[in-house]
Each structure stands twice: as C-alpha cells, then as structure tokens.
Amino acid sequence: MTTALKVPGDRSARVPVEQRGPGLDRDSVRLLVSRGTEVSHHAFAELPRLLRAGDLLVVNTSSTLAAAVDGVIGHARVVVHFSTRGDDGRWAVELRDPDGRGTTRVRAGGPAGAAVRLAGGAGLVLEEPLSGRGGRLWWARVSSPDVLGLLREHGRPIRYSYTERDQPLSVYQTVFALPSEDGAGSAEMPSAARPFTPRLVAELVTRGVQFAPVTLHTGVASAEAHEPPYPERFAVPEASARLINAVGAGDGRVVAVGTTAVRAVESAAGADGVVRAGAGWTDLVVTPERGVRVVDGLVTGLHEPEASHLLMLEAVAGRAAVERAYGEAVAGDYLWHEFGDVHLILPPQTPHPAHCASNCT
C-alpha cells in the first residue's frame, strides 16, 4: 500500500469546503464508503442514512490549540510548533523554518542547549530529543509558567504548505470540541470530525445513532515525517466505556470518528475486548498485527500513502479493502488532508434474517 499508490499533487484541499462556494457547509465534503472491498460514493451529509439505529459514534472532544509561535534562534527566524506538555512541565516542540509563503518547512532539530526567543518575550531551551527515532521533536523547558496563555496570545493554528492561507482558530475546532479543565488540547485538529455540523448531529440522534465522547490530545504529526504517533494523553469516561461495551455486546456497530478516537478507545480496552474507564498516556500503535478489539468501523480523512495511519485502517478493514478504497479515491478526484474529503469504513454487509427478507441496507 505504501508504495503502490501515488496521490496526484493537486489533490490537497487548500481551503475549507465552506469557503469554496456559496451555500456550502462543513458537511458538503464528499464521502467514500467502504464495506469490505465494496466501495460507494456519497456526500457526507448522507451519513445519517448510511448508519442505522443502535450504531455508536465514538468522538474526540479535544479542542485545537493555536500551537504555532514565531521565534528567533540566534539570528534566524523560526516557527515553534508546541506538541505535547509533559508531566514534568516541559513541552515537546518542533522547530521549523518559515518558507516565505506563510507556512514552514522542515528544520533539523537541536542541538541540546539551543535557546529560542519567543514572541511575547518568553524563551525556551531545547534539552533532549523526544525519542530515539530522530531529532524532529525535542523536549524543551519554557521560561513562561503559562505556556497555554502564551499560545492564546501569540499562537496561531499549525498550517502546512498545501493550504492556501491562514485561517482563524475556529476553522480548526470540531463541533465536538470541549475546553479541558487544565486548558490542554491538540496541537493539530482531530480532523475526521470536522465535517460534522450541529444539524447533522441532530439528524443522527433523531435516527437513533448514539455518541460516546472520549479525549485524545494529538501531538504534532508533521506532514513530511509520517512517523508512528508518539505517546499522547487520553481519557475514556465511565459513561462512554459503559455505552461502548453495551453497543458492542448488542447488534450495534462501534464506529470511531478519527484515528485519534480509535487510539483512545483501543488503549482503554483489555485483551477481553472490554473497555474500562481510564486516563493517562498511551503509546499504543494500532497495526494489522495488533488488530482492533472494540472498533467495528471508522470515519477518517484520506492519508498519504506513507502515513502510519494506514496501518490502523488496515487493522480495521484489511489491506485489500484499503487499497481498493484508495484506488477509488484517486480515480474519483477526492481531496486529501484536514479540509478534504472523508472515508467511512464499515463492516461488509451481511443479511440479517430477523430484519430483512430480501434486501438489506
């Protein structure tokens, strides 16, 4: 999968769909639906008719931070992407170079001891790489005791070069985003939920689809690196755990909205498949070898062929299904990235004798 598919360079969604023309809303993106290797094409607004009463959507309530802050290292301008706050008060950060077009490009990390002067007068010092994978993300000590306040005052949403222009932070918040008690949030938007609108949520509830909120604060992904995810903070409330277990034990399907929701709920699941309430750090990487214990389906964006997220998709749907879907997405001119189109993965359709005599939907 990672080498067979080539995504044309013009397939990036450069602006949010609601800015592409009059009368468009967030749910105006397209929806590719996979049921095994069977693929169909829809509008995202059709989602309520593609799910059924008793299904459960697991949604991530993490809000998006204005995590990009301008700085200077020596005499060079840099942009600091704040990724994750550690338990010891340090922050995992990525330093990037401005590219002159309002976005950034990759910059070599380090060295240890490098000092960055930040907008607003605060500073940070790089201390050590976040992991042995490489030097892209570093643990840094920030002089300001209120980094979240610094982000609110001087930060802006992280933006990559495939987008056309800066957007207000509200564009990067999903309808499910809730402020956390400690002000924490995601460095990058949990974007699979972006196409949901209040109207669509109300229609889903009316049709008997339920929602289970979980939280996973996403770190910096970096569009170029395609690394497996680093440890991230998550929480699964008791009420959500009970609801997920009840639906899993019945006829409903547990459908995660985004790979972040998969990571959260699968991190809370035991080997017996039972989800237990909990909070903390997760280093779980969902792969086909590990498989999924809870999730039956997935609402997700379209990922680059090299992205580690595709391993999670293969864990849910199988490699053949993912390859077929992505081939259809390329042939059908679907759009990629956080403002792009959406992929719904459902289990293959099987007739249920108690519910249908000849045709099932």
Side-chain angles (χ1 to χ4, degrees):
M1 178 68 190
T2 56
T3 57
L5 178 71
K6 299 297 181 185
V7 179
D10 61 351
R11 297 296 172 80
S12 296
R14 298 182 60 78
V15 296
V17 64
E18 64 271 22
Q19 298 177 14
R20 296 177 206 156
L24 299 178
D25 203 346
R26 289 187 176 205
D27 59 6
S28 300
V29 295
R30 299 170 68 191
L31 179 65
L32 181 76
V33 179
S34 296
R35 297 180 178 91
T37 55
E38 176 190 342
V39 175
S40 58
H41 304 271
H42 304 266
F44 190 82
E46 296 177 58
L47 181 65
R49 295 188 291 279
L50 296 165
L51 299 176
R52 59 191 187 218
D55 285 344
L56 177 68
L57 291 173
V58 181
V59 298
N60 185 2
T61 63
S62 180
S63 59
T64 308
L65 302 174
V69 178
D70 291 325
V72 177
I73 182 168
H75 297 289
R77 293 175 56 235
V78 295
V79 177
V80 180
H81 288 178
F82 283 80
S83 181
T84 306
R85 181 174 58 189
D87 291 335
D88 59 0
R90 297 186 298 176
W91 278 79
V93 301
E94 179 187 20
L95 269 56
R96 294 176 67 91
D97 287 324
D99 63 3
R101 299 187 299 274
T103 55
T104 59
R105 55 178 175 262
V106 175
R107 175 190 177 92
V116 180
R117 301 189 305 280
L118 298 170
L124 65 80
V125 177
L126 302 181
E127 293 192 347
E128 59 183 335
L130 188 62
S131 79
R133 298 182 199 165
R136 185 175 68 88
L137 287 172
W138 281 65
W139 285 116
R141 189 76 63 179
V142 186
S143 64
S144 170
D146 183 15
V147 174
L148 294 171
L150 170 71
L151 300 184
R152 286 191 296 271
E153 187 171 354
H154 299 286
R156 60 185 179 277
I158 288 175
R159 175 189 157 211
Y160 293 111
S161 59
Y162 52 77
T163 57
E164 187 173 288
R165 56 181 177 268
D166 283 346
Q167 300 284 349
L169 185 59
S170 60
V171 167
Y172 291 88
Q173 303 294 4
T174 76
V175 72
F176 305 112
L178 295 171
S180 60
E181 291 183 2
D182 61 358
S186 290
E188 297 183 15
M189 173 177 55
S191 56
R194 190 182 190 278
F196 285 84
T197 62
R199 179 187 64 248
L200 189 70
V201 171
E203 185 178 352
L204 285 161
V205 172
T206 299
R207 288 175 175 265
V209 176
Q210 303 178 85
F211 290 83
V214 299
T215 302
L216 187 131
H217 296 312
T218 67
V220 170
S222 183
E224 306 87 3
H226 302 307
E227 303 158 318
Y230 288 91
E232 294 167 321
R233 292 182 184 273
F234 82 103
V236 175
E238 178 65 39
S240 293
R242 288 200 303 267
L243 186 54
I244 293 166
N245 291 330
V247 170
D251 293 332
R253 298 170 295 186
V254 177
V255 180
V257 177
T259 56
T260 61
V262 176
R263 195 182 202 197
V265 72
E266 292 288 333
S267 296
D272 56 1
V274 175
V275 177
R276 296 170 176 85
W281 291 90
T282 177
D283 58 2
L284 175 67
V285 178
V286 178
T287 64
E289 293 73 27
R290 189 268 187 188
V292 289
R293 298 169 178 170
V294 179
V295 172
D296 301 307
L298 175 61
V299 177
T300 183
L302 293 166
H303 305 285
E304 296 291 350
E306 302 86 359
S308 62
H309 298 83
L310 288 179
L311 294 176
M312 182 183 289
L313 271 61
E314 291 180 15
V316 175
R319 182 165 188 157
V322 175
E323 288 183 340
R324 173 67 192 280
Y326 271 65
E328 288 275 335
V330 171
D333 294 333
Y334 279 70
L335 295 179
W336 260 249
H337 299 303
E338 65 265 30
F339 299 141
D341 297 317
V342 183
H343 184 196
L344 170 63
I345 298 172
L346 292 174
Q349 295 188 98
T350 54
H352 194 301
H355 295 118
C356 40
S358 56
N359 295 314
C360 288
T361 58

